[in-house]
């Protein structure tokens, strides 16, 4: 639908347009001041050397050249972050979907269970991190205490180089209930007539899942994949509160390195360059997913649904 030219609009339509513009004005001002403005400033600072105290000094591409040629911590943090993304994202998708399938059952008291599983998603990240220190502590933790009852020596979890990253992945499953609610909305949007017709044809539950549920849920899966992936690239709290990037840089995530460069070493220009590299990496990953989504994401035709 083409927009009507301002000169040809009726007085009432003009008044309604002005009311609409005034309604979104607070959001526009907030976006310019607190999002677009800082983004542009950080882009400019990425080409400078700035320690907050002295004025920024223009260094051109020096920050980016140093990053890719003479910064071992950059490569280490990027590798750790990529490893986490590859481990965490598929696991969160699978566990969230499985939980949503369980919560979609038409049983008495199911609303209570949905609320219980969703609650962890709204808790503070720092509080959750402190709780998991207690749960996975190698000597005093609940998990190792239970394992010791059966004569099993538990791992070192966050304090073991080989278990630290899997421990963070396991910890992130704590908030999977938030994604399960989104899956649940997608599941309940699937027409029940499709399941009834498949039952008449003799389809099993497993066949219904692969032929009906999963294809019609792919738009929801795609949305979850994008959001979980972006969130995984930005992981910070767990490493900062629990491991400080250790042991032996096993959880030295990219955002932790960026934070240390910015607020401990006061290399604001270099930290800005690190931030923009992460933005580009995340954008490329998202673009690849969007480009390939047509091969596996199926959108239900609204016209076919009304037939």
């Amino acid at each position: 639908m083409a927009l009507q030219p301002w000169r040809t609009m009726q007085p009432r339509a003009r008044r309604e347009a002005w009311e609409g513009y005034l309604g979104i004005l607070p959001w526009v001002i907030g976006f310019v001041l607190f999002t677009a403005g800082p983004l542009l400033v950080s882009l400019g600072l990425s080409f400078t050397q700035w320690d907050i105290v002295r004025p920024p000094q223009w260094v051109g591409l020096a920050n980016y050249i140093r990053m890719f040629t003479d910064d071992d911590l950059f490569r280490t943090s990027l590798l750790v972050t990529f490893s986490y993304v590859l481990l965490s994202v598929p696991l969160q998708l699978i566990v969230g979907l499985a939980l949503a399938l369980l919560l979609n059952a038409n049983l008495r008291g199911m609303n209570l269970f949905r609320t219980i599983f969703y609650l962890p998603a709204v808790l503070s990240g720092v509080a959750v991190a402190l709780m998991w220190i207690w749960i996975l502590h190698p000597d005093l933790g609940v998990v190792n205490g239970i394992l010791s009852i059966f004569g099993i020596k538990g791992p070192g979890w966050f304090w073991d180089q080989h278990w630290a990253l899997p421990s963070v992945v396991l910890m992130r499953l704590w908030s999977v209930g938030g994604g399960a609610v989104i899956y649940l909305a997608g599941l309940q949007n699937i027409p029940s007539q499709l399941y009834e017709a498949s039952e008449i044809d003799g389809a099993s539950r497993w066949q219904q899942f692969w032929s009906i549920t999963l294809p019609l849920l792919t738009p929801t899966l795609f949305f979850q994949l994008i959001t979980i992936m972006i969130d995984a690239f930005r992981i910070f709290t767990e490493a900062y509160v629990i491991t400080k990037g250790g042991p032996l840089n096993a959880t030295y995530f990219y955002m932790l390195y960026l934070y240390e460069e910015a607020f401990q070493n006061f290399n604001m220009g270099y930290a800005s360059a690190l931030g923009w590299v992460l933005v580009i990496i995340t954008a490329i990953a998202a673009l690849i997913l969007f480009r390939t989504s047509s091969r596996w994401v199926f959108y239900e035709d609204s016209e076919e649904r009304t037939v």
Side-chain angles (χ1 to χ4, degrees):
M1 181 178 179
L3 294 177
Q4 186 178 1
W6 183 265
R7 291 175 297 179
T8 61
M9 294 176 64
Q10 298 295 325
R12 180 177 178 180
R14 290 185 180 182
R15 185 174 66 252
E16 292 178 350
W18 276 115
E19 291 173 353
Y21 295 144
L22 289 174
I24 66 172
L25 183 61
W27 179 89
V28 173
I29 295 175
F31 176 78
V32 171
L33 292 179
F34 302 112
T35 302
L39 279 173
L40 294 176
V41 171
S42 69
L43 179 60
L45 288 176
S46 69
F47 299 101
T48 67
Q49 182 179 355
W50 184 41
D51 60 1
I52 299 180
V53 179
R54 290 167 291 189
Q57 296 181 354
W58 182 265
V59 294
L61 296 175
N63 288 329
Y64 295 95
I65 295 174
R66 170 194 165 190
M67 193 183 309
F68 288 100
T69 61
D70 190 30
D71 190 348
D72 293 334
L73 285 178
F74 165 74
R75 289 187 286 269
T76 298
S77 62
L78 196 60
L79 178 61
V80 171
T81 303
F82 270 116
S83 300
Y84 171 77
V85 171
L86 293 176
L87 286 173
S88 177
V89 173
L91 195 58
Q92 289 190 56
L93 287 173
I94 295 171
V95 174
L97 178 57
L99 180 60
L101 291 171
L102 293 175
L103 296 177
N104 195 39
N106 188 17
L107 299 176
R108 185 177 181 181
M110 187 54 67
N111 289 333
L112 175 62
F113 285 102
R114 293 171 182 170
T115 303
I116 292 173
F117 280 105
Y118 178 74
L119 282 177
V122 300
L123 296 180
S124 168
V126 175
V128 172
L130 295 174
M131 180 192 70
W132 277 93
I133 292 177
W134 172 68
I135 292 176
L136 296 181
H137 193 280
D139 299 321
L140 306 175
V142 176
V143 174
N144 282 6
I146 295 175
L147 292 176
S148 64
I149 297 176
F150 300 96
I152 302 174
K153 180 177 176 55
W157 299 112
F158 296 117
W159 296 267
D160 187 316
Q161 178 186 3
H162 304 291
W163 280 92
L165 188 61
S167 298
V168 177
V169 173
L170 176 64
M171 175 184 168
R172 270 301 178 102
L173 293 178
W174 165 262
S175 59
V176 77
V181 172
I182 299 176
Y183 287 123
L184 188 61
L187 288 171
Q188 294 183 348
N189 195 42
I190 299 176
S192 59
Q193 297 90 335
L194 298 177
Y195 294 106
E196 295 171 358
S198 65
E199 288 179 358
I200 295 175
D201 293 336
S204 63
R205 290 293 180 89
W206 188 249
Q207 290 173 327
Q208 288 179 343
F209 173 77
W210 281 106
S211 301
I212 300 175
T213 305
L214 196 58
L216 294 182
L217 201 62
T218 49
T220 306
L221 284 167
F222 179 63
F223 169 78
Q224 284 289 87
L225 175 60
I226 293 292
T227 55
I228 292 174
M229 180 201 67
I230 294 174
D231 185 62
F233 273 114
R234 299 186 301 110
I235 182 171
F236 168 76
T237 304
E238 292 80 354
Y240 180 74
V241 175
I242 302 175
T243 65
K244 303 297 182 183
L248 298 176
N249 291 336
T251 57
Y252 198 68
F253 296 115
Y254 194 93
M255 288 298 297
L256 180 61
Y257 180 44
L258 189 154
Y259 170 83
E260 290 181 350
E261 284 294 315
F263 300 104
Q264 292 183 5
N265 301 329
F266 297 106
N267 293 328
M268 286 295 180
Y270 191 66
S272 297
L274 288 171
W276 276 97
V277 168
L278 182 61
V279 168
I280 293 172
I281 292 173
T282 307
I284 291 174
L287 181 62
I288 292 174
L289 291 177
F290 273 102
R291 290 289 187 180
T292 58
S293 63
S294 59
R295 302 177 184 178
W296 61 277
V297 179
F298 306 98
Y299 295 97
E300 184 183 2
D301 192 341
S302 59
E303 295 183 357
E304 292 181 357
R305 183 171 177 175
T306 57
V307 174

